[in-house]
Amino acid sequence: MTTSTASHSTAHQDEEPERPPSDAKHTRQIPDVPRRFFFLTMGAAAVTTAFQTNIAVDTKLTERTQYRITTPQNAENKSAALKFPGRTWYLLGGFRVSYRDSGRKLEALQSAMNRRASASYIGYSNEGIDIAQLFIAIQRDVFERKINTVYFYGDSFGGMAAVVLASLLTQTGIRVKLIVMGSSPSNVSDTLDPGSEYISLAGQVVPYLGLLGRLGAGIWGGLANPNGQGMYQAARSGISSSLDPNNNSLILSTTQATFLQAFPRQYDGGVPASTGIGLIYDPEDFIVNASSAIRGWEALLEKNPHFVYDVPHTGHASPEIHPEIYRTALTVVLDELDPPPVTSKPVQPIF
């Protein structure tokens, strides 16, 4: 009996599963922090590079004007330079107006401008508007051509830039004879919807769009205005338009919008009271509230002589579309604010 019990006990013990010792420990693998940090850094660098490339490509697509000042070398301009030595016009383009479109505006106005001086136009840099760099470009041109008297024509937004530049030029001894506002807002509040909404959007969102934003805007614009095309063709047409190198970069649009929103804080009050202020507006302008803009300029430059000339039914800042109307307007403004010198004595009555 004893032997049988012992062997049964031994067999029972053999059937029990083995248990891990109570003092066994689970070890945790230490994360490879330097390796993880390296990959995070490289990933962030790749995202940053892609973002910067997205912005840079948009700038590269557009014309690199770099504050180029162009003086058309035609017979009329050369004759005006000889007749009025030391004088010149500078036409400053409007918000999102390209360098070439500024040239077309000057072409429409040149014959009226040449009644007082030769005429030039300025392209903004597609890397963004910088008043200091614009001033340096004008200073260089003034020195090279021995200019002592300047006339400004501000096309819409260009009127704001002209006021700031006129103050800077005056400090260097250059006489600013006249500033003509061609539908120029005096404050961002003068712009009407959807213009003011677009300006606000451009100042806040556009910096983050770059090339992708340009393509997206092109597709949206094509589909919104298909002009009888199918969706595919309309989208392609929109993309083609968005990649047109004659268009301004989104960076320039952004900085112009920022400048416009901050005006007139940039103006230091340095335009002398002798500078005439010409105001050419369509009373029914659908982009700028003409009456509000005129009141704004008269209040900001209250000591300066002003003259208002209406160009009804012409829209907003459109001398290239209505050249004869705008040339007449500019001629009248010049005769009022900068009358030509009397070349002969008036005939005196005998009695």
Side-chain angles (χ1 to χ4, degrees):
M1 290 290 293
T2 306
T3 305
S4 174
T5 303
S7 74
H8 176 74
S9 176
T10 302
H12 179 72
Q13 291 177 357
D14 292 340
E15 291 176 359
E16 291 182 358
E18 292 184 2
R19 296 179 180 179
S22 59
D23 60 345
K25 296 181 179 180
H26 297 282
T27 58
R28 296 179 60 190
Q29 186 176 0
I30 300 175
D32 189 352
V33 176
R35 181 184 177 85
R36 184 176 298 178
F37 179 75
F38 170 77
F39 282 112
L40 286 173
T41 303
M42 294 302 294
V47 171
T48 302
T49 301
F51 172 76
Q52 292 176 340
T53 302
N54 178 45
I55 299 297
V57 170
D58 169 59
T59 305
K60 294 289 185 182
L61 280 171
T62 53
E63 194 168 21
R64 303 294 296 277
T65 57
Q66 294 292 347
Y67 304 111
R68 185 190 308 170
I69 297 177
T70 301
T71 305
Q73 295 301 306
N74 49 49
E76 294 78 9
N77 227 16
K78 291 179 180 179
S79 176
L82 293 173
K83 187 175 180 180
F84 305 104
R87 295 185 171 201
T88 192
W89 281 92
Y90 288 122
L91 183 146
L92 293 157
F95 178 63
R96 303 188 73 234
V97 172
S98 70
Y99 166 72
R100 295 191 181 188
D101 284 340
S102 295
R104 283 190 278 270
K105 290 176 182 289
L106 184 87
E107 183 179 359
L109 295 168
Q110 186 190 313
S111 61
M113 291 177 166
N114 286 161
R115 295 173 180 267
R116 297 296 184 277
S118 62
S120 305
Y121 63 99
I122 305 173
Y124 304 114
S125 170
N126 268 316
E127 294 179 354
I129 186 173
D130 184 331
I131 290 295
Q133 292 299 320
L134 189 55
F135 172 60
I136 290 171
I138 292 176
Q139 266 196 315
R140 186 180 297 116
D141 186 66
V142 162
F143 175 78
E144 290 176 354
R145 294 200 283 151
K146 298 180 174 58
I147 301 296
N148 54 50
T149 302
V150 166
Y151 295 76
F152 277 114
Y153 185 95
D155 179 74
S156 190
F157 164 87
M160 295 177 164
V163 167
V164 177
L165 289 167
S167 176
L168 294 173
L169 283 173
T170 299
Q171 295 174 27
T172 65
I174 300 298
R175 182 187 184 191
V176 179
K177 184 66 177 176
L178 186 66
I179 302 174
V180 178
M181 307 294 181
S183 307
S184 302
S186 66
N187 190 291
V188 72
S189 62
D190 295 335
T191 58
L192 305 173
D193 289 337
S196 57
E197 294 178 1
Y198 182 88
I199 290 167
S200 176
L201 179 67
Q204 298 174 17
V205 178
V206 167
Y208 306 102
L209 298 182
L211 175 63
L212 298 179
R214 178 179 287 267
L215 292 174
I219 293 173
W220 180 84
L223 294 177
N225 300 282
N227 293 323
Q229 302 177 98
M231 291 183 64
Y232 177 72
Q233 289 297 330
R236 286 192 60 182
S237 177
I239 292 175
S240 176
S241 176
S242 71
L243 298 179
D244 184 352
N246 293 332
N247 292 333
N248 284 333
S249 74
L250 295 176
I251 293 298
L252 176 57
S253 300
T254 299
T255 53
Q256 285 181 321
T258 302
F259 182 94
L260 200 159
Q261 288 175 313
F263 193 86
R265 293 197 302 272
Q266 304 98 324
Y267 173 57
D268 61 4
V271 173
S274 60
T275 300
I277 307 298
L279 301 161
I280 300 176
Y281 291 82
D282 177 356
E284 301 172 350
D285 192 327
F286 57 92
I287 292 179
V288 169
N289 185 323
S291 58
S292 174
I294 291 170
R295 289 194 303 269
W297 287 120
E298 290 176 340
L300 185 67
L301 304 166
E302 59 180 349
K303 296 181 180 179
N304 299 75
H306 304 87
F307 184 76
V308 180
Y309 189 95
D310 290 343
V311 284
H313 314 304
T314 59
H316 175 74
S318 56
E320 72 280 21
I321 301 174
H322 305 281
E324 293 185 5
I325 294 175
Y326 269 80
R327 281 196 293 266
T328 299
L330 185 55
T331 299
V332 174
V333 167
L334 284 171
D335 287 344
E336 288 291 331
L337 296 175
D338 183 30
V342 177
T343 56
S344 60
K345 293 183 180 181
V347 178
Q348 298 293 330
I350 298 175
F351 300 104

